[in-house]
Amino acid sequence: MLEIKNLHARVEDKDILKGINLSVKAGEVHAIMGPNGSGKSTLSAVIAGNEHYEMTEGEIELDGEDITELAPEERAHKGVFLSFQYPVEIPGVSVTNFMKTAINESRKAQGLEEMPANEMLKSIREKSELLEIDRKFLSRSLNEGFSGGEKKRNEIFQMAMLEPKLAILDETDSGLDIDALRIVANGVNKLKSENNAIIVITHYQRLLDYIVPDFVHVLYKGKIVKSGGKELAYELEEKGYDWIKNEN
Amino acid sequence: MSKYTEDDLKVELENKEYEYGFYTNIESETFPVGLNEDIVRAISQKKEEPQWMTDWRIEAFRAWKEMIEPEWANVHYDKPDFQAISYYSAPKKVDPNKTLDDVDPELLAMYAKLGISVDEQKMMNNVAMDIVVDSVSVATTFKKTLSEKGIIFCPISEAIKEHPELVKKYLGTVVPQKDNFYAALNSAVFSDGSFCYIPKGVRCPMELSTYFRINQAGTGQFERTLVIADEGSYVSYLEGCTAPSRDENQLHAAVVELIAMDDAEIKYSTVQNWYPGNKEGKGGVFNFVTKRGLCEKNAKISWTQVETGSAVTWKYPSCVLKGDNSVGEFYSIAVTNNFQQADTGTKMIHLGKNTKSTIISKGISAGKSNNSYRGLVQISARADNARNFSQCDSLLMGNNCGAHTFPYIESKNPSAKIEHEATTSKIGEDQVFYCNQRGIPTEKAIALIVNGFSKDVLNKLPMEFAVEAQKLLEISLEGSVG
Amino acid sequence: MELKEKLISSFMAFEEQIDVNTDLHDVRTSALKNFETQGFPTKKLEAWKYTSLNSVLKNDFTVFPKKESAIGFSDVKKYFLHEIDTYKIVFIDGVFSSFLSATTHDGIDACLMSSALTKPKYKLVIDEYFNKVAMADDSLTSLNTAFAREGAYINIPKNKVADKPIEIMYFSTGSEAALMVQPRNLIIVNENANVQIIERHQSLSGNPVLTNSVTEIFAKKRAIVDFYKIQNDNDEASLVDNTYISQKEMSTVKVHTFSFGGNITRNNLNFYHKGEHIDSTLKGITILDGKQHVDHHTLVQHATPNCESHQNYKGIFSDKSTGVFNGKIYVEKEAQKTDAFQQNNNILIGDKATINAKPQLEIFADDVKCSHGCTVGQLDDRALFYMQSRGIPKKEATALLMYAFSNEVIESIKIPELKQRINSIIARKLGVNMGFDL
């Protein structure tokens, strides 16, 4: 589904990614771990098409199609979803209105009619229950005054609504207490299917107890330095990142 | 597509044509240009007014001659030559007593272009409308339904003849003839406008609406609106304005007076979309308007305005909170683009005890425009326990425009509680990217963010108007987004 | 004779008295001309809408005191920050007092404006800085420029940290029935230099005094300036303080204004940015009673990118006192990434006090964070009751709440002894005997 080859990227003249290779197939869950500053968030931003980051070399293909020249919204229309580490506040725009706009823009891009209101409401009801979200919450301004847990739950709620092909969860566990973590992970697991893929970006192994990865990759200084199964995450937790640092 | 930035949007905005810039070829009767006592008398005569009205106008005209055009506002323009304007222009074929079916088909076609179908108004059953073209009221709908409740809703020229006792008693009591330069001019030369009286205890069953249109070239529009809500009554009043695109500046100097008696409530909403001039800053309407409401005991007046048009706007809808426990509100969105200049805000004059006022102002500046909020909150020594809350937010789009905030706060009473907050910001790149990532294109994202920014005010508009206002915001700022 | 005419007609005599070079003569002449055209400001001017000098100007002021008065240190010791060692530049009725002063030329210059204006060795400095940031079209500033003769001259060389605070004191003795003085201060803080300055005007009699002061401060690259103004004069003393600050890149200038007394006090505090990464702070506490009137007029002119400014003014007004706050943040088109904040909080006590506030923003750059907030209110009744129910008498409880209200500003005073001094002035002002060691 996702093929990344020799990806290099920089931000403000500073090289961050120095040759990433990653292959993700439908139905798979990949975890990307690494110490602070290793380039984890840059990788997610580059896949989503954030223009703040400049891609200098390499290829990103989604279902065999090169997406590197596409605008972020076009990538979204093709099924790329990024759960932000720091979701952005948009005052005065309710969660519902935002979702309605997002869904209908995607449908428009795919040549579909707008989603009928009753269908939209039904979907909102189902997905908010899945993430144990209070309905009142949906009429609040997007992310404004949300607690850390509410922000992350809202991200996964949007993922549920948009039903992406490829979801990238960027540090979704940061700032979550154990209950919120359980709800979020539970939501993600229910959304997992044979047809989609998930990339979990995290610093800690904790989240991976809940969302079990098929593959674990360790990112260090802009390169994937180790790949393995889920046991790699435990090894990393036990030995700490110094283990990686010392080896490289 | 992938590189659609705010800069591209700005270019698109600047090239955006004014949608209401058509001119309708209606046969008009227009006075020669210039202003003197004879013209004032002639207007009065034309309107078949009683002597007291003529005298009232002459008094205003004499005062105006001695007055100087104000210069304190943060706007710069070539002053109009008051002797080069025609002070009376009326579509010829209109007879206000005829039914809608008799209205000039050209006029009806014009309304259709404006998005107002007068026929449909009959069906909609919740908006009664008075339409003023150039200076004359051309159609008032729903008169009969209203009159059953004792509500008077008619052109002010008609009210002067039919209800002189009401007009005589209240005209000029809130905005005196000599209040300011433009109010004095209006008092001398106003040719029409709307009049509305809601009797004691009556809740007006539908929105009352006036649609203003400047059509004829070289004319000024000077309408006068008087709304009287008697004790315990309620009315919601809507006002919309458009004008054709012309290279020269057109002058609009209106006066609106609201009187809310004990326990009455008036909601006054305006969507102002006068022609703003072209992208080089040529042409456009000078909108110099005096709007003021008087609140008696327990009364409430809410002003809501969406200002997207006019080359120059000078406008401060105000509330005189005379009665104890009275409430004044001001909700405003002002959008300026290209070379538009707006100096707008409100005055909340707290005279009675326990009076409350709320001010929410949202300014959006784009292009090379300048957008100023100017407001006064005045608490008099007798106004015990007065409360005010003000919030003024400015959004800047691009780096060639200006946002200005000039709040005046004057308190002479130690029990007053006043809070004023103001912020200036721009649309964050992170906000746009967040929307993009969810599949929303930049143009739409900006529309969404601007709408969110303005939401507190949009929410205050009556439903029928809110949709129109939202659309207008998108047209004024979002280019082709619809 | 009206004060304006008196001043204009005495100009020639004034210039004859002083040793003046031609450049300065030109500056003075054009300044006088400007004052002549504009005259004293009236309420018709937007900038003076809420402050009238009329009642003050009708006094028959002596503009050049004839008598020289001496005062003993013990009489005025309490006005100095005597707990610590400081440099002192002291003036009595506008004339330098060498007896009360402790000036220096050792490493730094903390001395007299009159020497700087007349001695050849300062000519280059005067040419470069004198009247260069002061607003040339302001009438009262022009008036001061025309008659500028005496005041403090402070020059801190590159990389030098002034080893102790500098106190600038202006005493008036009452030897004249009514006295007008026009001090002129010039403060230059060179690259990477650091100084703390305290300025105070104090009348020692009940005779009317009008002070029209101009201070120019130049903070060069990385300079740090801490300036404290103490205004606790008696009820017949009026002050117009015009302070102009020019800041170069990475400099930090903080001005604290403590206004506790005087008849009419008008503070014009203007900051101009001439480089990036500048930090400007304007803070004030105003506590007034009787018929006192204080008008704070501030301007921060953001002209360069990446600078920040912080304004925080607290006011407590009782009896028939009047407070005015007119603060302006101006952000020019070039000044992207500006962070500018302004806060003005006021408490009204008693039933005749007035507050007029006009916090303004004028923004021409889009990528900025600017905000202002302004409140007018009362002390929290519930908090008062809560404290009373714990046995704290109402007066003390009120004082504690007011102190807490002003604390944000007091906390940023860098000189501990000065903080202590301000605390005790506040306690006295509030009529309580408390230490406020919160």
Side-chain angles (χ1 to χ4, degrees):
Chain A
M1 176 184 286
L2 179 73
E3 283 293 336
I4 295 176
K5 285 178 195 151
N6 191 30
L7 177 64
H8 287 69
R10 60 163 75 177
V11 57
E12 285 160 8
D13 298 332
K14 196 178 164 212
D15 292 320
I16 309 278
L17 300 183
K18 299 162 185 165
I20 301 270
N21 291 292
L22 184 66
S23 176
V24 178
K25 293 188 179 63
E28 292 178 351
V29 175
H30 288 242
I32 295 178
M33 303 182 71
N36 290 331
S38 58
K40 301 191 297 286
S41 287
T42 303
L43 178 61
S44 63
V46 171
I47 299 172
N50 190 335
E51 285 168 20
H52 187 61
Y53 298 87
E54 190 193 344
M55 192 175 138
T56 49
E57 218 183 310
E59 288 167 33
I60 306 174
E61 282 182 3
L62 188 70
D63 288 335
E65 185 195 352
D66 177 13
I67 59 166
T68 52
E69 288 300 313
L70 297 183
E73 64 270 24
E74 291 168 315
R75 299 184 198 204
H77 297 160
K78 293 196 182 299
V80 176
F81 178 88
L82 170 63
S83 167
F84 283 63
Q85 185 180 0
Y86 304 107
V88 180
E89 295 180 3
I90 305 185
V93 176
S94 70
V95 176
T96 307
N97 187 16
F98 182 68
M99 268 301 91
K100 189 181 119 206
T101 311
I103 287 172
N104 284 332
E105 284 298 327
S106 284
R107 290 174 72 103
K108 199 161 89 187
Q110 285 149 20
L112 299 170
E113 290 287 304
E114 289 200 349
M115 187 185 272
N118 56 351
E119 207 177 304
M120 181 88 69
L121 282 172
K122 188 164 161 271
S123 172
I124 286 176
R125 197 175 314 136
E126 283 171 12
K127 305 296 161 64
S128 57
E129 274 164 20
L130 175 67
L131 286 145
E132 300 177 32
I133 285 173
D134 187 345
R135 300 287 297 287
K136 268 183 263 167
F137 173 88
L138 300 171
S139 54
R140 284 167 61 185
S141 286
L142 190 63
N143 292 322
E144 200 182 32
F146 286 18
S147 70
E150 285 173 330
K151 280 184 182 169
K152 295 299 170 70
R153 247 191 282 176
N154 179 32
E155 291 292 288
I156 304 306
F157 166 71
Q158 293 183 30
M159 171 181 161
M161 291 295 294
L162 293 166
E163 298 173 345
K165 231 184 261 172
L166 173 70
I168 306 162
L169 312 183
D170 188 4
E171 306 258 358
T172 296
D173 52 334
S174 69
L176 290 189
D177 62 34
I178 196 74
D179 288 334
L181 185 69
R182 186 185 47 76
I183 294 167
V184 163
N186 193 22
V188 172
N189 285 330
K190 284 194 181 142
L191 296 170
K192 209 167 72 176
S193 80
E194 284 306 302
N195 304 317
N196 62 24
I198 296 170
I199 298 176
V200 181
I201 291 176
T202 181
H203 187 86
Y204 303 103
Q205 174 269 336
R206 189 174 71 144
L207 177 66
L208 304 179
D209 284 343
Y210 296 90
I211 305 172
V212 182
D214 300 304
F215 300 95
V216 174
H217 310 277
V218 181
L219 193 60
Y220 183 64
K221 287 188 174 168
K223 278 185 184 166
I224 289 176
V225 293
K226 244 187 177 54
S227 290
K230 66 182 173 194
E231 62 289 346
L232 180 58
Y234 291 106
E235 198 175 350
L236 206 56
E237 182 80 358
E238 204 175 298
K239 296 183 179 170
Y241 283 112
D242 285 340
W243 167 49
I244 299 294
K245 288 178 190 170
N246 294 336
E247 276 189 12
N248 285 275
Chain B
M1 190 62 211
S2 70
K3 290 279 183 270
Y4 188 92
T5 63
E6 249 184 272
D7 291 334
D8 298 325
L9 179 72
K10 253 167 54 199
V11 171
E12 209 174 307
L13 291 181
E14 281 158 16
N15 293 323
K16 178 74 192 165
E17 298 281 338
Y18 179 68
E19 284 201 355
Y20 303 96
F22 56 87
Y23 164 71
T24 312
N25 191 14
I26 312 167
E27 218 184 315
S28 296
E29 182 188 3
T30 304
F31 271 25
V33 298
L35 186 56
N36 52 46
E37 280 199 20
D38 290 341
I39 293 279
V40 176
R41 277 180 218 284
I43 294 169
S44 190
Q45 207 168 23
K46 193 89 209 161
K47 312 295 293 182
E48 297 166 355
E49 286 175 354
Q51 188 59 40
W52 62 266
M53 195 65 236
T54 316
D55 294 345
W56 195 85
R57 287 175 181 276
I58 296 293
E59 200 186 315
F61 175 73
R62 288 180 185 161
W64 176 76
K65 276 201 304 189
E66 306 301 318
M67 294 169 96
I68 310 163
E69 209 176 339
E71 285 183 348
W72 44 260
N74 188 26
V75 290
H76 307 278
Y77 58 95
D78 290 332
K79 291 203 176 130
D81 178 355
F82 293 97
Q83 295 305 336
I85 295 171
S86 167
Y87 288 83
Y88 184 82
S89 172
K92 241 181 190 169
K93 287 183 189 165
V94 177
D95 174 351
N97 295 321
K98 284 186 184 169
T99 65
L100 277 176
D101 302 333
D102 300 322
V103 170
D104 189 335
E106 286 275 345
L107 260 178
L108 289 176
M110 179 173 97
Y111 302 144
K113 266 192 187 170
L114 289 170
I116 324 162
S117 159
V118 183
D119 280 337
E120 262 177 41
Q121 295 297 332
K122 288 191 225 167
M123 321 290 182
M124 262 173 71
N125 217 29
N126 57 352
V127 181
M129 187 169 269
D130 184 21
I131 295 166
V132 179
V133 172
D134 289 339
S135 303
V136 169
S137 175
V138 293
T140 309
T141 60
F142 278 113
K143 246 179 173 168
K144 200 163 157 273
T145 325
L146 293 169
S147 69
E148 280 163 13
K149 292 225 165 208
I151 295 168
I152 305 167
F153 180 45
C154 65
I156 199 160
S157 54
E158 195 181 313
I160 290 167
K161 281 179 267 181
E162 307 288 327
H163 310 281
E165 71 296 341
L166 283 173
V167 178
K168 210 169 167 178
K169 186 169 173 193
Y170 292 109
L171 187 73
T173 55
V174 187
V175 180
Q177 289 138 293
K178 297 166 196 171
D179 187 80
N180 67 68
F181 183 83
Y182 305 115
L185 178 64
N186 174 286
S187 300
V189 306
F190 76 90
S191 35
D192 219 330
S194 298
F195 175 84
C196 169
Y197 172 80
I198 316 291
K200 266 185 201 171
V202 171
R203 201 180 159 85
C204 186
M206 60 187 75
E207 311 277 348
L208 299 185
S209 168
T210 304
Y211 218 96
F212 295 109
R213 169 102 184 147
I214 302 179
N215 196 49
Q216 202 59 31
T219 58
Q221 178 147 324
F222 306 93
E223 83 273 355
R224 183 112 195 166
T225 302
L226 179 58
V227 179
I228 303 157
D230 212 328
E231 288 173 23
S233 66
Y234 167 85
V235 62
S236 170
Y237 199 98
L238 320 174
E239 175 193 83
C241 333
T242 59
S245 309
R246 292 191 186 284
D247 280 350
E248 85 271 5
N249 296 109
Q250 285 172 296
L251 178 62
H252 174 248
V255 171
V256 175
E257 292 179 280
L258 308 185
I259 294 151
M261 296 195 209
D262 292 359
D263 304 301
E265 181 177 348
I266 302 175
K267 218 171 130 82
Y268 197 102
S269 314
T270 305
V271 173
Q272 185 265 107
N273 187 26
W274 296 117
Y275 178 54
N278 69 8
K279 64 177 179 180
E280 277 84 41
K282 201 160 186 228
V285 171
F286 290 162
N287 192 34
F288 303 143
V289 174
T290 307
K291 290 183 168 181
R292 198 175 301 150
L294 178 76
C295 284
E296 298 285 359
K297 231 165 84 186
N298 304 324
K300 179 176 173 182
I301 290 180
S302 294
W303 295 101
T304 306
Q305 59 173 24
V306 177
E307 300 276 315
T308 59
S310 296
V312 181
T313 300
W314 179 98
K315 179 180 169 190
Y316 316 91
S318 304
C319 295
V320 180
L321 304 172
K322 183 177 157 219
D324 292 352
N325 312 316
S326 58
V327 177
E329 295 176 338
F330 174 75
Y331 302 100
S332 170
I333 303 169
V335 181
T336 55
N337 198 355
N338 296 321
F339 285 86
Q340 277 178 276
Q341 306 175 67
D343 193 303
T344 184
T346 184
K347 291 184 202 173
M348 292 291 172
I349 312 293
H350 291 254
L351 302 175
K353 294 185 179 30
N354 306 316
T355 45
K356 281 195 182 68
S357 64
T358 304
I359 299 171
I360 308 284
S361 165
K362 306 278 179 178
I364 300 155
S365 326
K368 293 185 171 133
S369 68
N370 272 296
N371 202 330
S372 304
Y373 166 81
R374 187 182 303 276
L376 169 67
V377 174
Q378 194 176 61
I379 314 288
S380 78
R382 285 168 295 129
D384 292 345
N385 300 314
R387 298 282 176 270
N388 163 266
F389 175 77
S390 305
Q391 170 92 43
C392 303
D393 297 321
S394 304
L395 194 65
L396 286 155
M397 297 176 73
N399 204 25
N400 294 309
C401 50
H404 316 267
T405 316
F406 306 107
Y408 293 73
I409 297 155
E410 303 178 2
S411 176
K412 286 193 161 50
N413 189 303
S415 62
K417 274 209 173 80
I418 304 169
E419 278 176 74
H420 172 95
E421 287 169 24
T423 62
T424 300
S425 56
K426 71 168 209 165
I427 294 174
E429 279 165 29
D430 54 343
Q431 289 176 320
V432 174
F433 177 68
Y434 188 79
C435 293
N436 287 162
Q437 208 299 307
R438 297 298 185 254
I440 303 168
T442 300
E443 220 179 332
K444 188 85 189 172
I446 288 172
L448 198 65
I449 295 164
V450 168
N451 255 310
F453 173 79
S454 316
K455 195 176 184 180
D456 294 344
V457 178
L458 288 173
N459 279 349
K460 297 291 170 187
L461 287 170
M463 274 301 265
E464 295 81 5
F465 246 29
V467 179
E468 188 182 344
Q470 220 160 43
K471 236 163 69 188
L472 206 55
L473 276 186
E474 292 196 1
I475 289 165
S476 308
L477 281 171
E478 272 86 64
S480 57
V481 175
Chain C
M1 197 172 8
E2 290 237 343
L3 184 57
K4 182 182 169 189
E5 276 66 50
K6 190 191 271 183
L7 284 159
I8 292 165
S9 61
S10 61
F11 181 67
M12 267 171 64
F14 164 79
E15 276 213 313
E16 271 170 25
Q17 274 182 34
I18 53 172
D19 189 12
V20 74
N21 68 44
T22 45
D23 291 348
L24 273 181
H25 168 76
D26 291 347
V27 172
R28 290 182 194 282
T29 311
S30 85
L32 186 79
K33 212 172 197 168
N34 185 45
F35 171 70
E36 197 174 349
T37 319
Q38 295 189 46
F40 284 101
T42 67
K43 286 183 105 166
K44 279 187 191 147
L45 292 173
E46 179 66 26
W48 289 80
K49 188 176 159 76
Y50 298 117
T51 298
S52 169
L53 292 175
N54 286 348
S55 63
V56 175
L57 296 176
K58 65 176 195 273
N59 286 303
D60 185 21
F61 287 114
T62 302
V63 292
F64 305 114
K66 289 167 200 75
K67 295 166 233 164
E68 280 201 24
S69 303
I71 37 179
F73 182 66
S74 58
D75 299 333
V76 294
K77 183 182 170 197
K78 61 178 180 180
Y79 299 115
F80 289 98
L81 204 58
H82 52 80
E83 299 88 345
I84 53 168
D85 194 14
T86 58
Y87 294 114
K88 297 175 182 66
I89 313 173
V90 184
F91 305 90
I92 300 171
D93 296 335
V95 179
F96 176 65
S97 163
S98 58
F99 174 68
L100 291 176
S101 297
T103 58
T104 182
H105 292 288
D106 182 17
I108 64 170
D109 280 328
C111 56
L112 294 190
M113 192 66 184
S114 55
S115 319
L117 283 172
T118 50
K119 290 191 179 154
K121 71 167 176 172
Y122 295 109
K123 184 165 188 309
L124 281 178
V125 178
I126 292 298
D127 284 351
E128 192 177 344
Y129 296 106
F130 178 75
N131 209 36
K132 289 299 187 288
V133 63
M135 210 189 295
D137 59 355
D138 179 73
S139 75
L140 290 175
T141 301
S142 297
L143 177 62
N144 178 291
T145 302
F147 291 97
R149 175 189 204 172
E150 194 53 285
Y153 169 78
I154 296 169
N155 194 339
I156 315 290
K158 193 171 167 178
N159 299 328
K160 186 84 193 170
V161 176
D163 57 334
K164 46 193 180 187
I166 301 170
E167 286 187 277
I168 308 172
M169 283 283 182
Y170 292 95
F171 292 113
S172 48
T173 60
S175 65
E176 304 286 344
L179 176 70
M180 180 179 181
V181 286
Q182 303 205 64
R184 178 78 173 213
N185 305 313
L186 177 60
I187 295 156
I188 301 151
V189 185
N190 286 289
E191 198 176 322
N192 214 24
N194 190 336
V195 67
Q196 294 174 323
I197 298 167
I198 302 158
E199 184 194 22
R200 185 163 183 169
H201 300 269
Q202 190 64 47
S203 167
L204 304 173
S205 79
N207 290 350
V209 179
L210 171 60
T211 303
N212 176 37
S213 164
V214 171
T215 302
E216 292 183 279
I217 301 172
F218 295 87
K220 308 307 269 294
K221 188 175 172 183
R222 289 185 194 277
I224 300 173
V225 183
D226 239 332
F227 202 108
Y228 303 94
K229 292 172 182 286
I230 304 174
Q231 300 169 349
N232 190 25
D233 219 336
N234 68 38
D235 287 347
E236 287 303 322
S238 295
L239 169 68
V240 179
D241 179 309
N242 306 284
T243 298
Y244 299 93
I245 295 145
S246 166
Q247 281 188 264
K248 285 276 172 65
E249 66 267 33
M250 289 179 274
S251 63
T252 301
V253 177
K254 293 192 171 112
V255 177
H256 286 72
T257 308
F258 302 102
S259 308
F260 303 129
N263 175 17
I264 290 172
T265 306
R266 163 71 176 235
N267 288 297
N268 296 317
L269 183 55
N270 304 283
F271 280 75
Y272 301 94
H273 287 183
K274 313 241 146 109
E276 296 195 25
H277 302 287
I278 288 168
D279 194 339
S280 304
T281 300
L282 303 77
K283 290 190 181 183
I285 300 174
T286 306
I287 303 178
L288 300 185
D289 50 30
K291 290 182 181 169
Q292 294 168 341
H293 177 109
V294 168
D295 181 348
H296 289 290
H297 212 94
T298 70
L299 167 70
V300 180
Q301 183 92 15
H302 283 273
T304 43
N306 300 309
C307 296
E308 38 187 293
S309 66
H310 308 269
Q311 299 187 50
N312 194 346
Y313 281 81
K314 308 281 184 191
I316 299 171
F317 305 93
S318 53
D319 300 338
K320 291 182 175 171
S321 64
T322 307
V324 182
F325 178 77
N326 191 329
K328 189 188 243 181
I329 296 171
Y330 195 100
V331 181
E332 291 181 17
K333 194 173 154 183
E334 290 72 25
Q336 293 291 8
K337 306 269 177 204
T338 289
D339 279 357
F341 302 98
Q342 189 188 69
Q343 188 67 35
N344 172 228
N345 304 106
N346 302 288
I347 288 180
L348 290 176
I349 300 167
D351 50 358
K352 291 281 192 307
T354 300
I355 173 80
N356 295 311
K358 191 185 172 198
Q360 308 166 71
L361 300 175
E362 289 215 62
I363 317 285
F364 292 93
D366 62 343
D367 193 6
V368 298
K369 271 188 249 161
C370 298
S371 68
H372 71 216
C374 176
T375 60
V376 179
Q378 299 77 41
L379 288 178
D380 185 347
D381 281 343
R382 286 170 310 165
L384 210 56
F385 176 73
Y386 184 81
M387 291 164 87
Q388 282 176 276
S389 72
R390 293 290 180 272
I392 303 169
K394 188 168 182 186
K395 199 172 175 188
E396 277 69 21
T398 305
L400 267 177
L401 284 177
M402 288 190 199
Y403 183 80
F405 170 76
S406 346
N407 197 35
E408 249 182 299
V409 175
I410 296 170
E411 275 311 300
S412 62
I413 301 174
K414 286 276 172 357
I415 307 169
E417 294 77 10
L418 181 64
K419 194 189 269 184
Q420 203 53 48
R421 178 64 64 87
I422 297 295
N423 281 344
S424 62
I425 295 177
I426 292 178
R428 219 166 35 243
K429 190 85 191 172
L430 300 176
V432 292
N433 188 13
M434 298 168 86
F436 291 127
D437 291 320
L438 293 178

